[in-house]
Amino acid sequence: MSSNKPLWYRSRGYLHFDLPVSFKKARNLVTNPELVSKYAFFPLINYAVESKKISKDKITRKIDIAVKERPIAYSAHMDSHIYAFYASLLSRKYEAQLELAGLTDCILAFRGLGKSNIDFAFEAFEQIKAMGECSAVALDFSKFFDTLDHSILKQSWASLLGETILPLDHFKVFKSITQFSQVNKVELYKEFNISTNNPKNGRNRVCTAQEFRDVVRNKNLIKTNRNTFGIPQGSPISALLSNIYMFEFDTEMKRYMDIHGGKYYRYCDDMLFIVPAPLRDRVAGYAQERVKGLKVSINPAKTELRTFTC
């Protein structure tokens, strides 16, 4: 990709319901709020990725292999450019918001910090070494993206813009990512005899506009989110929106840590508190109480408490 193109524009090679879009065409749309406010988004194409987690029972010493499915959904070409452009607009405001709140070093995920999980883990252990005798409390949200409340997200989004309600173009993007529709990739490819191993094979899109109406729509392959919660994982804006959603909570957790001489870090749906040892058993309860207002929940089975001594 040419270096003079902005970061929000990225050519994507996958098949979707529309054709790949030139930079000029994408720019003409995404930079025009009126056009965005009237734009019709395509359904996402979704599938699940399986991951295996290997653990050993502490008593029986037996090896246990758990298979977990992680849902992935990807946007049509033009849709992706819109999401990426609005993510770039929101990201600048979010970064300024983090700096003002003193949260720049606390929020680790989806921010282009140029660091890996290994770097973050190293910094956490360095913090533990610096504190001496202390405790680490690790908490994990349950089904994070699937449970984000739409009304809270909308208010957080508007607040970031300094507005009481979302402008029409932002509201259009908000609706598309909350009242999103999806088509299962396996079912879709089966309808059009598309090979999963060689999907392109002379194709440059999944189907024509007419085939979309006659097959995808008429055969009810499109499933729409009717809930008042949940956003898809995998779109260019979803990760940032999850951070925006958590801003007030992050601010409160840092305030609480500052009072007690601890440190707070969050990586997407994982939280880590490094605190003076006497505070260890109170932190999880405090976070659990505060998170209720976000209508998401902490998974108690994944709560880890560790105390370090000199």
Side-chain angles (χ1 to χ4, degrees):
M1 186 173 67
S2 174
S3 59
N4 63 355
K5 291 185 174 67
L7 293 177
W8 62 261
Y9 180 83
R10 180 164 64 88
S11 180
R12 296 167 171 84
Y14 53 66
L15 291 182
H16 218 288
F17 296 120
D18 64 345
L19 295 168
V21 184
S22 70
F23 169 63
K24 182 178 179 180
K25 185 176 180 180
R27 181 188 59 194
N28 289 343
L29 174 60
V30 304
T31 59
N32 188 323
E34 184 177 358
L35 290 180
V36 172
S37 68
K38 298 175 181 177
Y39 181 78
F41 287 82
F42 274 111
L44 304 161
I45 295 177
N46 74 301
Y47 63 99
V49 175
E50 285 190 352
S51 61
K52 294 181 180 179
K53 184 177 181 180
I54 301 175
S55 60
K56 181 186 287 187
D57 189 284
K58 294 180 180 179
I59 299 176
T60 65
R61 313 300 292 174
K62 288 184 178 180
I63 301 296
D64 179 62
I65 301 177
V67 178
K68 181 180 178 180
E69 282 196 347
R70 185 166 67 96
I72 297 294
Y74 56 103
S75 318
H77 296 285
M78 184 62 91
D79 300 8
S80 291
H81 295 315
I82 295 174
Y83 288 140
F85 178 76
Y86 276 78
S88 70
L89 296 180
L90 294 173
S91 180
R92 288 195 291 271
K93 292 182 177 294
Y94 177 68
E95 288 296 324
Q97 191 181 52
L98 288 183
E99 186 172 359
L100 191 63
L103 286 166
T104 302
D105 296 329
C106 300
I107 312 306
L108 309 178
F110 316 128
R111 294 184 51 220
L113 299 175
K115 296 181 180 181
S116 69
N117 288 349
I118 295 173
D119 296 313
F120 296 140
F122 175 78
E123 290 174 8
F125 278 110
E126 287 297 296
Q127 182 61 45
I128 289 169
K129 285 170 59 177
M131 287 186 66
E133 184 169 329
C134 62
S135 295
V137 179
L139 306 177
D140 188 284
F141 289 112
S142 298
K143 298 181 178 179
F144 185 55
F145 284 89
D146 295 337
T147 56
L148 299 185
D149 182 82
H150 295 167
S151 62
I152 295 175
L153 176 60
K154 183 166 65 172
Q155 184 54 52
S156 299
W157 191 330
S159 178
L160 181 64
L161 295 175
E163 305 284 351
T164 54
I165 60 173
L166 289 175
L168 290 178
D169 56 323
H170 284 263
F171 182 65
K172 185 70 173 187
V173 178
F174 165 78
K175 280 185 64 178
S176 74
I177 208 70
T178 52
Q179 299 174 21
F180 61 94
S181 56
Q182 302 185 93
V183 176
N184 180 267
K185 183 178 180 179
V186 174
E187 295 178 8
L188 180 66
Y189 277 24
K190 184 177 180 181
E191 285 291 340
F192 292 102
N193 296 313
I194 299 174
S195 167
T196 55
N197 297 320
N198 184 23
K200 288 192 173 180
N201 194 25
R203 290 176 177 267
N204 52 15
R205 66 196 300 179
V206 170
C207 60
T208 65
Q210 187 63 48
E211 289 172 327
F212 179 83
R213 290 188 290 268
D214 293 344
V215 179
V216 180
R217 184 170 290 159
N218 287 347
K219 289 194 174 183
N220 296 319
L221 297 183
I222 303 173
K223 309 300 179 186
T224 302
N225 180 37
R226 305 294 183 187
N227 299 317
T228 58
F229 53 85
I231 64 173
Q233 295 186 55
S235 85
I237 201 172
S238 295
L240 174 63
L241 292 181
S242 72
N243 273 344
I244 293 171
Y245 187 94
M246 295 297 297
F247 177 74
E248 294 297 335
F249 175 84
D250 292 333
T251 301
E252 176 56 25
M253 291 302 99
K254 182 183 183 300
R255 186 195 69 82
Y256 185 66
M257 288 295 95
D258 287 347
I259 290 173
H260 296 285
K263 292 289 183 180
Y264 167 68
Y265 303 98
R266 183 175 61 80
Y267 189 94
C268 189
D269 56 355
D270 297 310
M271 292 175 285
L272 176 66
F273 299 84
I274 301 173
V275 298
L279 193 66
R280 190 192 76 165
D281 296 330
R282 292 161 48 194
V283 171
Y286 186 77
Q288 180 72 67
E289 186 63 31
R290 299 296 301 188
V291 87
K292 288 179 181 177
L294 292 177
K295 300 184 181 180
V296 293
S297 59
I298 292 172
N299 185 351
K302 292 187 176 182
T303 297
E304 297 281 350
L305 307 175
R306 297 289 185 273
T307 296
F308 300 88
T309 57
C310 299

